[in-house]
Amino acid sequence: MSAASLTNGDDLARRFLARLRPGRDGWMTAGLTAVLLAVAAGASALLLVLTGGSPSASADAIWTGSLADATGWTTTLLNTAPLLLVAVGACICASAGTFNIGQEGQVLIGGLVGAWVGLRLALPGPTLVVVVLIAAAVGGGAWAALSALMLRFRGVNVPVSTLLMTFLAIQLVTFAVSTPWFLQESAQGSSGIADAASNPLPANARLGGFGQYPSVQLNVGLFIALVAAVGVAVVLTRSRWGFRVRMLGLNPLTAKHTGVRVAALGGFTLALSGALAGLAGGLLLVSPVGTNRLQAGLSDNFGWDGLLVALVARNRPLVAIPVSLVFAVLRAGGDFLSATGVPYYLVDVVKALLVLAFVAPPVLVDLFRRRRGATPQAAPDLSVVPTKVKAAA
């Protein structure tokens, strides 16, 4: 991961991330964002009408499934935790100028490593769930670190390698849950049939929470995600290490000349981003949001949605907290859309429109400012010659 490879291989991603940072034209960006949000809302309503649905009924279904009662709030908050962890990891990586888009695979690998540890180790009490989460984070971080090594030794572009590693992770998890000697569940009954999933984790490998039905239940995973978001925000803005990370993201050549070890720091931020995604996979495994067993669909697009959360939050960990809640509302409430006759995939369309509404304004404002700065100016009056030039003549 030399300075030259960082400058050339990830230049496009670096410029895109730089445009997502808050700029000087704040009011123009805010106004354009409001306009695009209105356009996104109108487009979403139009799509619902064209597919035979009702915008008001769809909004009521999302509200009912996510925020209308204690059960909805519990489901929404359970979805918020893994989304927030993935988004915080993406914020770290983006601050260093690297665009990691392989969180979906890193979530899967975290779940794979966590499931293997949880089913193979017999540890007492809550020690097992702590070890499972640590193992999941290590697994996700190691998987992301492979992309850093590919950039360092072979010059492979990070967005490309992290994306392709996602498909490899899907195949690896599918193999693991379909192979008896690996992680496939034990055969059930005399028929000897086993599903493509692991055995359920033992009770002491599952994450507890606070509150009981019918009240709102708060899982410990939410507090882990909130602590991670606040901690990363403080470290990035108030520490020497965070200053070096941001310097690397703004200009790797300048960072190198000031003594920053570009290769080590860039690779570490990529691995740290993967570790948080892997931790999210561990949460999906040990918290009630899933079935407490490893399956090929464990990630369930949490990696992709967490990346979108980071983009909408413009790579700011604290802003990612409310944004992840909004995306969790869409996930929890989207399950009720089928009752109104609306296809569930329209929720993904709404997410995409929201992302465009928040990501496009800073880019458009930057392009407008560049075009305005490139406007030809009046030619100088050559008849006015400076005094020193006259004296020299």
Side-chain angles (χ1 to χ4, degrees), residues 28 43 85 95 107 125 148 153 159 178 187 195 270 275 294-295 328 359 367:
M28 185 182 298
L85 282 174
S95 298
V107 168
F153 294 106
S178 303
D195 293 331
L270 183 58
L294 180 66
Q295 296 172 319
V359 172
L367 291 175

Side-chain angles (χ1 to χ4, degrees), residues 64-90:
T64 301
S66 59
L67 301 174
D69 53 21
T71 302
W73 270 103
T74 300
T75 304
T76 298
L77 294 177
L78 282 173
N79 284 281
T80 300
L83 287 174
L84 183 56
L85 282 174
V86 173
V88 170

Side-chain angles (χ1 to χ4, degrees), residues 91 114 139 143 201 224 228 345:
C91 292
W143 193 254
L201 292 180
I224 295 175
Y345 63 78

